[in-house]
Amino acid sequence: MSEDQILLKVEFGGGLELLFSNEKKHALTLPARVPADNSTSPAPSEKETKPLDIAYLIHWLRDHRLKERAELFMENDTVRPGILVLINDTDWELEGEGGYEIKDRDEIVFISTLHGG
Amino acid sequence: MSTSCGNPTVEKDALMPRRRKFDRTKTCIKCKDNQGNVTIRHAVYCKECFFPMLNQKFKRSLEPTINPIPDGPRKKNLYPPGNLLIAFSGGLGSTVLLDLVHKGYVASRKPREDADAAVRKKDPKNEMVWKEVHVCYVEVCGAFPAMRDRTEDVRRVVESYDGFKFVPLRVEDSFDTKWWESVGGKPDKGELRVDITNEDLILLPSSNATSPLSALHTYLSSLPAPTAIPTTLQTLTRLLLLHTARATSSSHFLFGTCLTSLSVSLVSLVAQGGGFNIKEEVQEDWGGEGGRQAVRIVRPLKDIVMKECAMYAWWRGLEVVGQEVWPDARQGIGGITKDFIVGLEKDYPSTVSTITRTCAKLAPKETPAGICTLCNRPAQGHVQDWKTRISIRSLSPSLASPQQPSLAPYLCYMCHTTLTSKSSKKPSSGSSSAGGEEGNEVPLPLWVGARVRRMEREEMRDKVKEFLLDKEEEEEGYAEPI
Ligand SMILES: [Zn+2]
Ligand SMILES: [Zn+2]
């Protein structure tokens, strides 16, 4: 694995996959350093950068994998309330939420709870 | 390793300033050993301790409701007087409920034997708690064009467990005499229709039979506002399920309503003027009149938040086939409330339980006057007023509608509102025509007619009794009902 790329797995559950072409599992390779403002279009090199984190991943998924209805996935720069995030099987609330720095071969799961009773 | 369950410090948090999502350490508060995997209302659990914790909350809600008379402090054997019915929607909560019931009360247990209580005491743990467990699903796709029928997805999930009997229904069965007969109803007198142009909801005998599906469509399209549709479908679904519970000799009937969705329904109930039934939204006994076995409706996930359900389903690898989001539902009161509660739960995880506890305290002190014929929940008012209303409106001639019985007095406030307000759709035609043209006649769910007729008969009996007892008063041409 080259040092400036990070390999990660993303999985969607609870019906969230329906927004992502009904694909539950996605294997991604993302740069280890990313624009600090979470912009995911090819960036001019002088932009301020940060290590790849969950906040960036959320924006990247919205811009490059989401097929429909972004408002069902994101709200106010993060995932919509009712979507849980697991980082290597652990609640992201224990891992620093959006600020968690993604390591090589991490597994990130997004689960929707909005399917009711 | 400590086994003390220790009430996690979730209850007395200061509310508004956002707290960290967990207190102090990331170590599991149960085993105090493993790194935590999930935070539930500020308490940290590891994956191993999460399952027993959830199961304990589930059993603590359910088991005290199983025996007809609640146990004292000493735990007795579980001995329900009938079978079990589970309402299954395919959604997250009922998916988790199905799994918890199966693991806790069905899997690896022997069929329940009809031994007497003395024998049963020996080893009840090995026997099923309920003799039979039915799982009922009500498909609502008939109400909406182009909605997918999920019955087969649901069947696959239910039948993946052994020991469950699947009962698939459709929401239009509410208007189907075949269904009504199958649950023990008598459609002999024919169905009733109602004229919805008039606030009194004049009752008319049914003329020509239509298919259940077109009856449903007529009924839904007569509703004054699209926001009334979700409420109406919920009521129809609930009553279909309740009659199924009775027909399957079930003494207990479980819903997979978790704390989060319970808060949503309580708040939207109050917003729609249903505050009188707030207690019933949590737990109720239905249909015990006339010496019949009442059906107890229990929501054993009521102390479990949506996040716990989602984690349980994910870690257990359960298939959540999902529940269609009804058109108009997101714009309706329910949808708006849901967005609000889910947002609140994310930022202030312990606030949501406060809502249900506060609502529980709002339960009315008034004794209900009667049972609403449509939703079958207690109707508000004084018994006297209720009876007066019924006898005046339905039997006495009145100027506006000579000899025409009306449905309005047999409805609770919320059902009446759902059917009538705001009739801006048909502004002029309403007040003048008492009769009701063909197009304004709306078929009623079959249980409504059955109840109206029974109440009319009872009212008639009372009248006759009065007549025999109070001849003088009757001769003056005015009879005070009871
Ligand atoms: Zn633990
Ligand atoms: Zn009602």
Side-chain angles (χ1 to χ4, degrees):
Chain A
M1 197 72 236
S2 94
E3 283 207 355
D4 48 2
Q5 297 278 295
I6 284 177
L7 196 69
L8 67 150
K9 276 189 195 154
V10 170
E11 190 166 353
F12 297 106
L16 205 54
E17 65 275 12
L18 296 173
L19 303 180
F20 293 87
S21 4
N22 213 2
E23 295 278 341
K24 284 192 173 169
K25 295 185 181 185
H26 300 247
L28 306 179
T29 308
L30 292 178
R33 292 203 68 85
V34 295
D37 63 359
N38 292 326
S39 71
T40 69
S41 40
S45 51
E46 71 272 19
K47 246 185 182 170
E48 197 190 332
T49 65
K50 63 173 181 177
L52 174 65
D53 60 12
I54 298 284
Y56 183 88
L57 174 66
I58 292 169
H59 284 82
W60 191 91
L61 287 168
R62 179 195 63 187
D63 296 346
H64 300 276
R65 285 292 181 271
L66 189 74
K67 289 295 177 223
E68 52 187 313
R69 308 188 63 188
E71 76 280 6
L72 295 184
F73 180 58
M74 275 187 78
E75 193 180 298
N76 299 331
D77 257 10
T78 183
V79 287
R80 196 179 158 203
I83 293 177
L84 307 180
V85 185
L86 297 185
I87 300 164
N88 301 322
D89 223 19
T90 293
D91 191 348
W92 75 332
E93 291 183 351
L94 290 165
E95 302 284 4
E97 303 189 29
Y100 171 84
E101 292 176 11
I102 299 174
K103 298 187 296 296
D104 201 39
R105 290 169 204 280
D106 273 351
E107 297 188 6
I108 320 287
V109 178
F110 296 88
I111 308 166
S112 172
T113 64
L114 298 172
H115 263 312
Chain B
M1 175 160 138
S2 161
T3 50
S4 78
C5 76
N7 191 18
T9 55
V10 293
E11 299 299 350
K12 51 187 185 303
D13 335 316
L15 292 184
M16 282 311 123
R18 266 187 76 166
R19 290 173 55 192
R20 275 163 62 104
K21 293 293 172 52
F22 55 97
D23 295 324
R24 299 175 297 273
T25 75
K26 293 203 275 181
T27 311
C28 171
I29 65 151
K30 281 273 165 118
C31 61
K32 300 187 170 60
D33 194 19
N34 296 338
Q35 280 284 299
N37 292 98
V38 64
T39 78
I40 304 295
R41 294 197 263 160
H42 303 292
V44 177
Y45 298 92
C46 74
K47 200 166 161 179
E48 272 162 61
C49 296
F50 172 80
F51 289 97
M53 179 275 294
L54 194 80
N55 202 43
Q56 199 189 2
K57 281 187 186 173
F58 162 68
K59 293 196 161 184
R60 211 167 43 209
S61 290
L62 176 60
E63 293 191 350
T65 72
I66 292 181
N67 292 347
I69 298 155
D71 296 342
R74 279 197 54 199
K75 209 179 156 193
K76 299 211 189 78
N77 292 331
L78 298 174
Y79 187 37
N83 294 322
L84 178 66
L85 180 72
I86 303 173
F88 186 69
S89 68
L92 180 59
S94 57
T95 303
V96 169
L97 175 65
L98 213 57
D99 197 67
L100 286 168
V101 170
H102 192 260
K103 277 190 71 179
Y105 303 103
V106 179
S108 65
R109 286 179 182 239
K110 288 183 303 194
R112 173 134 222 170
E113 292 187 17
D114 263 326
D116 59 50
V119 183
R120 177 169 295 109
K121 264 178 198 148
K122 282 183 185 163
D123 199 5
K125 284 267 173 209
N126 293 329
E127 276 186 13
M128 276 178 67
V129 171
W130 291 270
K131 245 183 169 175
E132 289 179 14
V133 183
H134 293 86
V135 178
C136 187
Y137 169 72
V138 180
E139 176 57 61
V140 296
C141 71
F144 303 104
M147 184 181 278
R148 196 165 73 84
D149 185 336
R150 289 174 178 256
T151 308
E152 291 314 306
D153 291 348
V154 168
R155 181 191 302 276
R156 191 177 64 240
V157 172
V158 175
E159 291 181 349
S160 71
Y161 294 98
D162 55 353
F164 288 158
K165 291 181 180 150
F166 184 46
V167 184
L169 295 179
R170 313 185 70 82
V171 70
E172 58 267 29
D173 290 341
S174 313
F175 302 91
D176 190 340
T177 49
K178 279 208 290 294
W179 169 76
W180 182 236
E181 279 173 287
S182 80
V183 295
K186 294 190 196 83
D188 49 337
K189 294 267 168 31
E191 314 88 275
L192 278 180
R193 296 190 161 232
V194 73
D195 173 10
I196 42 85
T197 54
N198 186 305
E199 281 234 327
D200 282 344
L201 300 168
I202 303 298
L203 286 169
L204 308 155
S206 175
S207 41
N208 47 339
T210 48
S211 77
L213 191 59
S214 63
L216 172 72
H217 290 158
T218 311
Y219 188 76
L220 292 178
S221 60
S222 78
L223 295 174
T227 47
I229 291 181
T231 318
T232 300
L233 291 174
Q234 271 164 21
T235 301
L236 297 182
T237 301
R238 195 173 132 269
L239 269 289
L240 285 166
L241 290 165
L242 283 171
H243 284 99
T244 304
R246 177 183 279 163
T248 52
S249 307
S250 299
S251 56
H252 291 79
F253 173 24
L254 310 186
F255 274 97
T257 321
C258 68
L259 178 64
T260 316
S261 26
L262 184 62
S263 308
V264 173
S265 48
L266 290 176
V267 171
S268 39
L269 189 69
V270 171
Q272 290 173 87
F276 189 70
N277 292 123
I278 211 148
K279 195 161 52 67
E280 283 71 25
E281 195 67 26
V282 184
Q283 187 184 321
E284 67 182 307
D285 285 357
W286 170 85
E289 319 103 304
R292 290 209 248 193
Q293 164 76 59
V295 179
R296 177 164 293 172
I297 302 160
V298 185
R299 301 175 196 273
L301 305 188
K302 70 177 166 56
D303 298 320
I304 293 171
V305 294
M306 194 93 87
K307 181 175 182 180
E308 289 168 285
C309 291
M311 294 311 303
Y312 182 91
W314 178 257
W315 279 333
R316 293 266 302 142
L318 303 182
E319 181 186 6
V320 182
V321 295
Q323 192 179 14
E324 283 284 346
V325 176
W326 299 342
D328 291 322
R330 279 210 65 203
Q331 285 76 46
I333 289 170
I336 293 162
T337 314
K338 184 171 180 177
D339 284 350
F340 170 72
I341 299 280
V342 170
L344 193 65
E345 192 165 273
K346 182 185 184 187
D347 291 336
Y348 308 100
S350 36
T351 309
V352 173
S353 65
T354 318
I355 293 176
T356 52
R357 263 184 284 121
T358 310
C359 283
K361 285 181 199 145
L362 293 176
K365 306 221 170 16
E366 210 175 337
T367 23
I371 302 289
C372 169
T373 54
L374 182 51
C375 72
N376 280 202
R377 280 188 162 167
Q380 198 164 6
H382 293 288
V383 183
Q384 294 287 359
D385 297 347
W386 168 265
K387 291 215 166 185
T388 311
R389 267 199 305 170
I390 289 174
S391 57
I392 289 176
R393 298 276 191 98
S394 61
L395 292 167
S396 315
S398 89
L399 291 176
S401 50
Q403 302 294 354
Q404 280 176 315
S406 87
L407 180 65
Y410 297 101
L411 296 177
C412 70
Y413 174 75
M414 193 163 140
C415 287
H416 187 255
T417 311
T418 305
L419 284 176
T420 56
S421 79
K422 164 67 202 137
S423 308
S424 53
K425 202 171 68 180
K426 315 161 180 91
S428 54
S429 69
S431 50
S432 55
S433 71
E437 308 125 47
E438 191 63 27
N440 297 325
E441 292 177 26
V442 175
L444 288 168
L446 292 163
W447 56 83
V448 179
R451 259 185 198 267
V452 167
R453 293 216 166 79
R454 195 167 78 207
M455 290 172 73
E456 275 182 346
R457 275 197 306 276
E458 283 167 11
E459 196 58 33
M460 200 80 87
R461 240 189 345 254
D462 287 350
K463 283 271 175 188
V464 172
K465 244 187 271 169
E466 271 163 43
F467 178 72
L468 295 174
L469 295 175
D470 297 322
K471 269 215 170 101
E472 296 89 354
E473 228 181 329
E474 183 67 18
E475 277 157 9
E476 283 162 29
Y478 177 72
E480 184 93 47
I482 318 182

